[in-house]
Amino acid sequence: MTAPVSAETLDRLRHVATATLSTQLFKLGLRNTYLTGLRPASPGLRMVGEALTLRFVPAREDLATFENITRADYPQRAAIEGCGPGQVLVVEGRGIESAAIGGDIYLNRLKVRGAAGCIVDGCVRDFASIQALGLPVYARGAASPPHPARHLAVAWNVPVGCCEVLVMPGDIMVGDDDGVVCIPRHLADEVARTGADLDALEAFVLEKIRAGAPVPGTYPPDEKTRADYEAWRQRNK
Amino acid sequence: MTAPVSAETLDRLRHVATATLSTQLFKLGLRNTYLTGLRPASPGLRMVGEALTLRFVPAREDLATFENITRADYPQRAAIEGCGPGQVLVVEGRGIESAAIGGDIYLNRLKVRGAAGCIVDGCVRDFASIQALGLPVYARGAASPPHPARHLAVAWNVPVGCCEVLVMPGDIMVGDDDGVVCIPRHLADEVARTGADLDALEAFVLEKIRAGAPVPGTYPPDEKTRADYEAWRQRNK
Amino acid sequence: MTAPVSAETLDRLRHVATATLSTQLFKLGLRNTYLTGLRPASPGLRMVGEALTLRFVPAREDLATFENITRADYPQRAAIEGCGPGQVLVVEGRGIESAAIGGDIYLNRLKVRGAAGCIVDGCVRDFASIQALGLPVYARGAASPPHPARHLAVAWNVPVGCCEVLVMPGDIMVGDDDGVVCIPRHLADEVARTGADLDALEAFVLEKIRAGAPVPGTYPPDEKTRADYEAWRQRNK
Amino acid sequence: MTAPVSAETLDRLRHVATATLSTQLFKLGLRNTYLTGLRPASPGLRMVGEALTLRFVPAREDLATFENITRADYPQRAAIEGCGPGQVLVVEGRGIESAAIGGDIYLNRLKVRGAAGCIVDGCVRDFASIQALGLPVYARGAASPPHPARHLAVAWNVPVGCCEVLVMPGDIMVGDDDGVVCIPRHLADEVARTGADLDALEAFVLEKIRAGAPVPGTYPPDEKTRADYEAWRQRNK
Amino acid sequence: MTAPVSAETLDRLRHVATATLSTQLFKLGLRNTYLTGLRPASPGLRMVGEALTLRFVPAREDLATFENITRADYPQRAAIEGCGPGQVLVVEGRGIESAAIGGDIYLNRLKVRGAAGCIVDGCVRDFASIQALGLPVYARGAASPPHPARHLAVAWNVPVGCCEVLVMPGDIMVGDDDGVVCIPRHLADEVARTGADLDALEAFVLEKIRAGAPVPGTYPPDEKTRADYEAWRQRNK
Amino acid sequence: MTAPVSAETLDRLRHVATATLSTQLFKLGLRNTYLTGLRPASPGLRMVGEALTLRFVPAREDLATFENITRADYPQRAAIEGCGPGQVLVVEGRGIESAAIGGDIYLNRLKVRGAAGCIVDGCVRDFASIQALGLPVYARGAASPPHPARHLAVAWNVPVGCCEVLVMPGDIMVGDDDGVVCIPRHLADEVARTGADLDALEAFVLEKIRAGAPVPGTYPPDEKTRADYEAWRQRNK
């Protein structure tokens, strides 16, 4: 998590579909970068940012007490107060659907701090309020119970497993209506660049398909389609 | 299910979030009161009412015949016709997603009878029609097949398990967009009162957080925040 | 798949609820015709058409290569280009939620070719674009990764299992907001006819229920209700 | 549960495979009589007996107290003390694997009372002791926690769902190493008789197959094989 | 499935652990060759053979009739009678645990025909008899109901998905107590050879570990350990 | 993990059933201490020891390389070499059944180092060899693939979630044929003592039940049974 990811890369990623990004990662040999099982609380929003991670383990009655979980250094609270502008809080929640890991107080705080989004492998509460917040939030759904009913936060800024995908602190998280993809930080520049190219090509292909072109020859493009595309691209610069 | 629950308690519960109620129940040592896995057919509606229960078991071809299931004393029909104003029909449906336990005819009948809602640990059919009904309905989703394809009603007004939560006849069911919580009847007054208090505090806290306050000191409130809150509360009376 | 299904039958099916159809199939002894687990990408659309099937098996790195999956005779591509007007592409996708079986390029192509819809026991990508397409699409949800991450197409126009329901090429697929039902081709005329009758009766019954009639006597109709219905039916012809 | 099942029928059932019984029930149109997911604690034992049922619902902390669950009229205890010779205790345990519904004290008591077996859609504790007991016990497996951690008994001698199969009090439960089948009481005579016939035929067929006969012509038997079988049957009388 | 796999390769595979083979396949980039979820009916047996495949789809009442499933050309029967010496019948059974795909008659027939084993992504009946058969059988477990309760055979000798692993006819299936691995036919020679080498090394390493050597330096072997191994290997030739 | 657990406590725990221990923990308000879903590789062995933890996250191709996983400081290797006499290695393996987290080399090393056992929320390879090892191993089952196919070790000696139970380094793990219970370290003395008492009582009760005593009055013991028990206890001292 040393070198900063360039603004250019982040900007490109804001315009590339997660479908395209996962294709490019797949071509690089990365088969497990999509966080299966989440849905966007607010469809239509896009999310791009660096991962700040938070890890929960199963609750135990002697440790998941209200006294413990309201300490300032409790990892959940530390992570939220440690979240900086442009970061995405990524929460290992073990897929639990019977309790929330937080609600509108914590998510409003993230928004005030400039977070780029929040990803929860689990549930959130105050769902209607969160949907209206304008912050991209991806979760399994809504649940009313407070987090100590099922969870105890034990660490932040460590590698986490989220929806059976490894997320390292500093990886680049991208989300759209298809879901969330984790881009290993060292590959962000590459997939942003090749992804933007592929997206442009697919926009052209889609136009052709809508106009009646058959799939073979059009996608993937044969020589003629590729030539047409290059011409189209020149025109649309 | 002896003493009536006071109108004041029911009225309070109409304004307290299920998130808050499950927190209060959790503090009382009740860790399993949230009905995991349901979603509101009509987001935005709130539901408060006494549980009237209905129990289904797996269907068997010799018993789940159309002749049997259309008898007047068939428990499904008896429960619907026995449902009074302000009651919530709570259906043990074993989480089955491949058949419905009923559709718009039964749910319209419930509405006409003044039911406060319907909760199904399973599916309903005629989903679009039910969404438009104005009756709070919580279910796992929609399914077309008729209930005898998977279910046989065998009892009503008995203890049921709904989404792995025990619901006793007469318990108070509360639903909002986060889902449904079952309040044991003998605790309804208490959690309605303490829940209303907590909800007021959290509304104040949320205002502070949105204005830029950090989580520590604000939530849970330290002495200063609590004093601010008391002042705010006086002003907002 | 020999004799064509009559236009009259297809037209009737466009106006019968899948709930009604699955009831009629159940009465004929067919207990497993509903495709559990799908949701409509575009609620409100109705779908009726003949099944054209496509079968995927698990991917393997030596076979699910981009070279193989972009050949013209690759079954996925062959099926799409082989899909004729009024057909519904039914995809055996083994319920996988961590990859898509296709996206807006393929689904736009289906629409251009006049397909009546697409059913995927799995996921699709470019979900927002597909929702706006005007083609009835039923799937488990959205997923970003490309299909060779999990799938390899091996055959089309063969019997498939879709959501644990057998679909034979040429069966009639009907979809509405409750989901999708597969009607064995040889039963299409019968259930279209009896389904239309039942739907008419239920519309009348619903009107009565909304007006305050109790369930017993009204549904199923006793002699008096049936007579009322016949009179109502004459009036509404 | 009125008329007694004849000793002859029970005796026949002791020698018919559950595979055969489920085939005969399937031929009678009963597709859901096998209790999926159980395994015999003591492979090699056979079980035949009348169902005595016991129903658990999810535990709740205010009701599943040690005080309540040790009352003499607590349904779990009442069922055990009410279990007579030749009966099989069938426990609705909702498939829970994180707690037991009982252990060697209760199962030894059942054995002393002459029970024919015990079927648990859930787990038992003291598993090693139970395996050595000589009583046929079918369960999902072993688990240490006491039943009130997850369960509350609320009724006995009522219809139950066990492994998604309906079991009525008085139905005939048969178990072998393939698992457990529930025979509706009114069909016990019939499937005992036809099952014994089929078992005899299959024993003959198996002998032929082992001797090198091909499947076609042998199973199901063609005319010649059937004649050979009748001759064999005469010889083996 | 053109060129025969050499006897030398098959013989080597009989002595290499599936753990080792899956490691070698993993090193070649094949991450999905292990059939998760099966257990050996007869622990201690080893299985090596070429895949002969059989595909089941979900049953439907109008097609999965006893008349249809007992025809000589029914794919299940055709596959069994088509199974030659040294072949392994690999059955796509969709993981169903509520019905068997066959029992001792079919498995005895396979054994008589010289089959090397049988793999079922589903269940078998007559389990005790099959355990005693001496034929390696891998399945999810036992179940009593006959296959048409859930299955219909529709093809054999086609690509199948078995436990979410692609098996092509002619692939080499290897089984031991850890389970079953599918080796793509074109890789059989290579992994047999490299697997045998790795197995020898691991046997040496295990001896060292048992004698007290630490893991680092021993496994993977550093230069000194590797030299010791080569010397040991010379001694043990 | 400061103060040592006394030898007396550890010795007592070697003779108390996990069923009894989970009951005692339940009475202390700890409802989630049993590790659901594991089975003993070697039934009949008992395990008592302090937890040494190891955490795996999902594998990613750029990090789970053979180069990385064979470094001396790789957490899996560090934990094994750091495991001291009497410790139990507790592995967070996320319940994965399609790869092993280790095999006989690592488990033999643990045994040589004096480990008291190993608990894996996942699978192990070389299962037959491990069963014969004489070290108590609890896992979900066997699987052939190497751990980097699904796992990457990222930490040891940290809190872990194992089968949805929180295990802190230094907690006391106890296993028998019913499974594994985690005793929070600060409660070990108490539950060892009260557990031994309860086990003694239950041994007496079982003797009475086997002799024909009814459950009521015997278990829990009424005054007379308790007096008998005290007398019996004096005699059996």
Side-chain angles (χ1 to χ4, degrees):
Chain A
M1 202 174 150
T2 43
V5 174
S6 72
E8 186 187 7
T9 286
L10 293 175
D11 192 57
R12 272 187 181 138
L13 291 173
R14 270 179 208 106
H15 300 89
V16 183
T18 60
T20 305
L21 293 168
S22 64
T23 297
Q24 300 310 79
L25 289 164
F26 178 72
K27 287 177 184 167
L28 296 172
L30 288 146
R31 295 171 160 272
N32 189 31
T33 60
Y34 174 74
L35 281 66
T36 302
L38 306 181
R39 55 193 182 92
S42 312
L45 296 183
R46 285 203 49 122
M47 176 186 73
V48 175
E50 292 185 10
L52 181 80
T53 61
L54 172 58
R55 163 160 151 81
F56 285 94
V57 293
R60 203 168 70 192
E61 291 85 347
D62 59 336
L63 297 172
T65 61
F66 275 100
E67 193 193 337
N68 279 345
I69 71 170
T70 53
R71 288 182 177 166
D73 64 351
Y74 183 60
Q76 180 191 33
R77 298 164 75 89
I80 286 168
E81 291 299 324
C83 186
Q87 288 191 311
V88 172
L89 185 66
V90 180
V91 182
E92 178 172 322
R94 307 180 323 283
I96 297 297
E97 304 199 349
S98 59
I101 63 90
D104 55 8
I105 290 176
Y106 284 161
L107 285 164
N108 270 277
R109 180 60 180 156
L110 281 180
K111 196 184 174 199
V112 168
R113 291 191 62 81
C118 184
I119 301 166
V120 178
D121 185 6
C123 290
V124 291
R125 64 207 309 216
D126 310 316
F127 198 68
S129 167
I130 288 169
Q131 287 181 300
L133 181 57
L135 182 76
V137 174
Y138 293 82
R140 292 193 177 270
S144 305
H147 86 264
R150 294 299 304 277
H151 299 293
L152 180 74
V154 290
W156 65 290
N157 230 7
V158 295
V160 295
C162 194
C163 304
E164 265 300 291
V165 170
L166 171 55
V167 178
M168 302 293 289
D171 282 342
I172 306 303
M173 312 306 294
V174 182
D176 60 17
D177 285 3
D178 282 349
V180 177
V181 171
C182 170
I183 307 175
R185 190 180 181 86
H186 62 98
L187 298 173
D189 290 345
E190 179 173 359
V191 299
R193 199 178 53 247
T194 62
D197 289 348
L198 181 55
D199 252 15
L201 171 62
E202 294 205 347
F204 168 77
V205 164
L206 190 54
E207 205 171 275
K208 297 267 284 186
I209 294 284
R210 281 179 175 151
V215 172
T218 311
Y219 190 73
D222 58 14
E223 252 176 72
K224 185 182 173 314
T225 303
R226 183 152 294 272
D228 290 352
Y229 167 60
E230 293 303 335
W232 175 88
R233 204 176 184 180
Q234 293 302 325
R235 287 196 308 273
N236 288 277
K237 259 191 181 167
Chain B
M1 202 173 152
T2 43
V5 174
S6 72
E8 187 186 7
T9 286
L10 293 174
D11 192 56
R12 271 186 182 139
L13 291 173
R14 272 181 206 105
H15 301 89
V16 183
T18 60
T20 305
L21 293 169
S22 64
T23 297
Q24 300 310 79
L25 289 164
F26 178 72
K27 288 178 185 166
L28 295 173
L30 287 145
R31 294 170 161 271
N32 189 31
T33 60
Y34 174 73
L35 281 65
T36 302
L38 304 182
R39 55 193 181 91
S42 312
L45 297 184
R46 285 203 47 122
M47 176 185 74
V48 175
E50 293 185 10
L52 180 81
T53 61
L54 172 58
R55 163 160 152 81
F56 285 94
V57 292
R60 203 167 70 192
E61 292 85 347
D62 58 336
L63 297 172
T65 60
F66 274 99
E67 193 193 337
N68 279 345
I69 71 172
T70 52
R71 288 183 178 164
D73 64 351
Y74 183 61
Q76 180 191 33
R77 298 164 75 89
I80 287 168
E81 292 299 323
C83 187
Q87 288 191 311
V88 172
L89 185 66
V90 180
V91 181
E92 177 173 322
R94 306 181 324 282
I96 297 296
E97 304 198 350
S98 59
I101 64 88
D104 55 7
I105 290 176
Y106 284 161
L107 285 164
N108 270 278
R109 180 61 182 157
L110 281 179
K111 197 185 173 199
V112 168
R113 289 192 64 82
C118 183
I119 301 166
V120 177
D121 184 6
C123 289
V124 290
R125 63 207 309 215
D126 310 315
F127 197 68
S129 167
I130 288 169
Q131 287 181 301
L133 182 57
L135 182 77
V137 174
Y138 293 81
R140 290 191 178 269
S144 306
H147 86 264
R150 294 299 304 275
H151 298 294
L152 180 74
V154 290
W156 63 291
N157 231 7
V158 295
V160 294
C162 195
C163 305
E164 265 300 291
V165 170
L166 172 54
V167 178
M168 301 293 289
D171 283 341
I172 306 303
M173 312 306 294
V174 182
D176 59 18
D177 284 3
D178 282 350
V180 177
V181 171
C182 171
I183 307 175
R185 190 179 179 86
H186 63 97
L187 299 173
D189 290 345
E190 179 173 0
V191 299
R193 198 178 54 245
T194 62
D197 289 348
L198 181 54
D199 251 16
L201 172 62
E202 295 206 348
F204 168 78
V205 164
L206 190 55
E207 205 172 274
K208 297 268 283 187
I209 293 284
R210 282 179 175 153
V215 170
T218 312
Y219 189 73
D222 59 13
E223 253 176 70
K224 184 180 175 317
T225 304
R226 181 150 299 269
D228 289 353
Y229 167 60
E230 294 302 337
W232 175 88
R233 203 176 185 182
Q234 295 301 326
R235 286 197 307 274
N236 288 276
K237 261 194 178 163
Chain C
M1 201 174 152
T2 43
V5 174
S6 72
E8 186 186 8
T9 286
L10 293 175
D11 192 57
R12 272 188 181 136
L13 291 173
R14 271 181 206 103
H15 300 89
V16 182
T18 60
T20 304
L21 293 169
S22 64
T23 298
Q24 300 310 79
L25 289 164
F26 177 72
K27 288 178 185 166
L28 295 173
L30 288 146
R31 294 171 161 271
N32 189 32
T33 59
Y34 175 72
L35 282 66
T36 302
L38 305 182
R39 56 193 181 91
S42 313
L45 296 184
R46 285 204 48 122
M47 175 186 73
V48 175
E50 294 185 10
L52 181 80
T53 61
L54 171 59
R55 163 159 152 80
F56 284 94
V57 293
R60 203 168 72 191
E61 292 85 347
D62 57 336
L63 297 173
T65 61
F66 274 99
E67 193 193 336
N68 280 345
I69 70 171
T70 52
R71 288 183 178 167
D73 64 351
Y74 183 60
Q76 182 192 32
R77 298 164 75 89
I80 287 168
E81 292 299 323
C83 187
Q87 288 191 311
V88 172
L89 186 66
V90 179
V91 182
E92 177 172 322
R94 307 181 323 283
I96 297 298
E97 304 199 349
S98 60
I101 62 91
D104 54 8
I105 290 177
Y106 285 160
L107 285 164
N108 271 278
R109 180 60 182 156
L110 281 179
K111 197 186 174 199
V112 168
R113 291 192 62 82
C118 183
I119 301 166
V120 177
D121 184 6
C123 289
V124 291
R125 62 206 311 214
D126 311 316
F127 198 68
S129 167
I130 288 169
Q131 287 181 301
L133 182 58
L135 182 76
V137 174
Y138 292 81
R140 291 192 177 269
S144 305
H147 87 263
R150 294 298 305 275
H151 298 293
L152 179 74
V154 290
W156 64 290
N157 231 7
V158 296
V160 295
C162 194
C163 304
E164 266 299 291
V165 170
L166 170 54
V167 178
M168 301 294 288
D171 283 341
I172 306 302
M173 311 306 294
V174 182
D176 60 17
D177 284 4
D178 282 349
V180 177
V181 170
C182 170
I183 307 175
R185 191 179 179 86
H186 63 96
L187 299 173
D189 290 345
E190 179 172 359
V191 299
R193 199 179 52 246
T194 62
D197 289 347
L198 181 54
D199 251 16
L201 172 62
E202 294 205 349
F204 168 77
V205 164
L206 190 56
E207 207 172 271
K208 297 267 283 186
I209 294 284
R210 282 181 175 149
V215 170
T218 311
Y219 190 72
D222 58 12
E223 253 176 70
K224 184 182 174 315
T225 304
R226 184 153 293 273
D228 289 353
Y229 167 59
E230 294 301 337
W232 175 88
R233 203 176 186 182
Q234 295 301 327
R235 286 196 306 275
N236 288 276
K237 261 193 177 165
Chain D
M1 202 173 154
T2 44
V5 174
S6 71
E8 187 187 7
T9 286
L10 293 174
D11 192 56
R12 272 187 182 138
L13 290 172
R14 272 181 205 103
H15 301 88
V16 182
T18 59
T20 305
L21 292 169
S22 64
T23 297
Q24 300 310 79
L25 289 164
F26 178 72
K27 287 177 185 167
L28 295 173
L30 287 146
R31 296 173 159 269
N32 189 30
T33 60
Y34 174 73
L35 282 66
T36 302
L38 305 181
R39 56 195 182 91
S42 312
L45 296 183
R46 285 202 49 120
M47 176 185 73
V48 175
E50 292 185 9
L52 181 80
T53 62
L54 172 59
R55 163 159 153 83
F56 285 94
V57 293
R60 203 168 70 191
E61 291 84 348
D62 58 337
L63 297 173
T65 61
F66 274 98
E67 193 193 338
N68 279 346
I69 71 171
T70 53
R71 289 184 178 166
D73 63 351
Y74 183 60
Q76 180 191 33
R77 299 163 75 88
I80 287 167
E81 292 299 323
C83 186
Q87 287 190 311
V88 172
L89 186 66
V90 180
V91 181
E92 177 172 323
R94 307 181 323 283
I96 297 297
E97 304 199 349
S98 59
I101 63 90
D104 55 8
I105 291 176
Y106 284 161
L107 285 163
N108 270 277
R109 180 59 182 156
L110 281 180
K111 197 186 173 198
V112 168
R113 292 191 61 81
C118 183
I119 301 166
V120 178
D121 184 7
C123 289
V124 292
R125 63 208 308 215
D126 310 316
F127 198 69
S129 168
I130 287 169
Q131 288 181 300
L133 182 57
L135 182 76
V137 174
Y138 292 81
R140 291 192 177 270
S144 305
H147 87 263
R150 295 298 304 276
H151 298 294
L152 180 74
V154 290
W156 64 290
N157 230 6
V158 295
V160 295
C162 194
C163 304
E164 266 298 292
V165 170
L166 170 55
V167 178
M168 302 294 288
D171 282 341
I172 306 303
M173 312 305 295
V174 181
D176 60 17
D177 285 4
D178 282 348
V180 177
V181 170
C182 171
I183 308 175
R185 191 180 180 85
H186 62 98
L187 298 173
D189 290 345
E190 179 173 359
V191 299
R193 198 178 53 246
T194 62
D197 289 347
L198 180 55
D199 251 15
L201 171 62
E202 294 205 347
F204 168 77
V205 164
L206 190 55
E207 206 172 272
K208 297 267 283 186
I209 293 284
R210 281 179 175 152
V215 171
T218 312
Y219 189 73
D222 58 13
E223 252 177 71
K224 185 182 174 318
T225 304
R226 183 152 295 271
D228 289 353
Y229 167 59
E230 293 303 335
W232 175 89
R233 205 177 183 181
Q234 294 301 327
R235 287 195 308 273
N236 288 276
K237 259 191 179 166
Chain E
M1 203 175 152
T2 45
V5 174
S6 72
E8 187 186 8
T9 286
L10 293 175
D11 192 57
R12 272 187 181 136
L13 291 173
R14 272 181 205 102
H15 300 89
V16 182
T18 60
T20 304
L21 293 169
S22 64
T23 297
Q24 299 311 80
L25 288 165
F26 178 72
K27 287 178 185 167
L28 295 174
L30 288 146
R31 295 171 160 271
N32 189 32
T33 60
Y34 175 73
L35 282 65
T36 302
L38 304 182
R39 56 194 181 91
S42 312
L45 296 184
R46 286 204 47 122
M47 176 186 73
V48 175
E50 293 185 8
L52 181 81
T53 61
L54 172 59
R55 164 158 153 82
F56 284 95
V57 293
R60 204 167 70 192
E61 292 84 349
D62 58 336
L63 297 172
T65 60
F66 275 98
E67 193 192 337
N68 280 345
I69 70 172
T70 53
R71 289 184 177 166
D73 64 350
Y74 183 60
Q76 181 192 30
R77 298 163 76 90
I80 288 168
E81 292 299 323
C83 187
Q87 288 191 311
V88 172
L89 186 66
V90 180
V91 182
E92 177 172 322
R94 306 180 323 282
I96 297 297
E97 304 199 348
S98 59
I101 63 91
D104 55 8
I105 290 177
Y106 285 160
L107 285 163
N108 271 277
R109 180 60 182 156
L110 281 179
K111 197 186 174 199
V112 168
R113 292 192 61 82
C118 184
I119 301 166
V120 177
D121 184 6
C123 289
V124 290
R125 63 207 309 215
D126 309 317
F127 198 69
S129 167
I130 288 170
Q131 287 181 302
L133 182 58
L135 181 76
V137 174
Y138 293 81
R140 291 192 178 270
S144 305
H147 87 263
R150 293 299 305 274
H151 297 295
L152 180 75
V154 290
W156 64 290
N157 230 7
V158 296
V160 294
C162 194
C163 303
E164 265 300 292
V165 170
L166 170 55
V167 178
M168 301 294 288
D171 283 341
I172 306 302
M173 311 306 294
V174 182
D176 60 16
D177 284 4
D178 282 349
V180 177
V181 171
C182 170
I183 307 175
R185 191 179 179 85
H186 62 97
L187 299 173
D189 290 345
E190 179 172 359
V191 299
R193 199 177 54 245
T194 63
D197 288 348
L198 181 54
D199 251 16
L201 172 62
E202 294 205 348
F204 168 77
V205 165
L206 190 55
E207 207 173 271
K208 297 268 284 187
I209 293 285
R210 283 179 174 152
V215 171
T218 312
Y219 190 74
D222 59 13
E223 254 177 68
K224 183 179 174 321
T225 304
R226 184 153 291 274
D228 289 353
Y229 167 60
E230 293 302 336
W232 175 89
R233 204 176 185 183
Q234 294 301 326
R235 286 196 308 274
N236 288 277
K237 260 193 179 167
Chain F
M1 200 173 152
T2 44
V5 174
S6 72
E8 187 187 8
T9 285
L10 293 174
D11 192 56
R12 271 187 182 137
L13 291 173
R14 274 182 204 101
H15 301 89
V16 182
T18 60
T20 305
L21 293 168
S22 64
T23 297
Q24 300 310 80
L25 289 164
F26 178 72
K27 288 177 185 166
L28 295 173
L30 287 146
R31 297 172 159 269
N32 189 31
T33 60
Y34 174 73
L35 281 65
T36 302
L38 304 181
R39 55 193 181 92
S42 312
L45 297 183
R46 285 204 48 122
M47 176 185 73
V48 176
E50 294 185 8
L52 180 80
T53 61
L54 172 58
R55 163 160 152 82
F56 284 94
V57 293
R60 203 168 71 191
E61 292 85 348
D62 57 337
L63 297 173
T65 61
F66 274 98
E67 193 192 337
N68 280 345
I69 71 173
T70 54
R71 289 183 177 165
D73 63 350
Y74 183 60
Q76 181 191 32
R77 297 163 76 90
I80 287 168
E81 292 299 323
C83 186
Q87 288 190 311
V88 172
L89 185 66
V90 180
V91 181
E92 177 173 322
R94 307 181 323 284
I96 297 296
E97 305 199 348
S98 59
I101 63 90
D104 55 8
I105 290 176
Y106 284 160
L107 286 164
N108 270 278
R109 180 59 182 157
L110 282 179
K111 197 186 174 198
V112 168
R113 291 191 63 83
C118 183
I119 301 165
V120 178
D121 184 6
C123 289
V124 291
R125 63 209 307 216
D126 310 315
F127 198 68
S129 167
I130 288 169
Q131 287 181 301
L133 183 58
L135 182 76
V137 174
Y138 293 81
R140 291 191 178 270
S144 305
H147 86 264
R150 294 299 304 275
H151 298 295
L152 180 74
V154 291
W156 62 291
N157 231 7
V158 295
V160 295
C162 195
C163 304
E164 265 299 293
V165 170
L166 172 54
V167 178
M168 301 295 289
D171 283 341
I172 306 303
M173 311 306 294
V174 182
D176 60 17
D177 284 4
D178 282 349
V180 177
V181 170
C182 171
I183 307 175
R185 190 180 180 85
H186 62 98
L187 299 174
D189 290 345
E190 179 173 0
V191 300
R193 198 179 54 246
T194 63
D197 289 347
L198 181 54
D199 251 16
L201 171 62
E202 294 205 348
F204 168 77
V205 165
L206 190 54
E207 207 172 90
K208 296 267 284 186
I209 293 284
R210 282 180 174 151
V215 171
T218 312
Y219 190 74
D222 59 13
E223 254 177 69
K224 184 181 175 318
T225 304
R226 183 153 292 275
D228 289 352
Y229 167 60
E230 293 303 337
W232 175 89
R233 204 176 184 182
Q234 294 302 327
R235 287 196 306 274
N236 288 277
K237 259 193 179 165

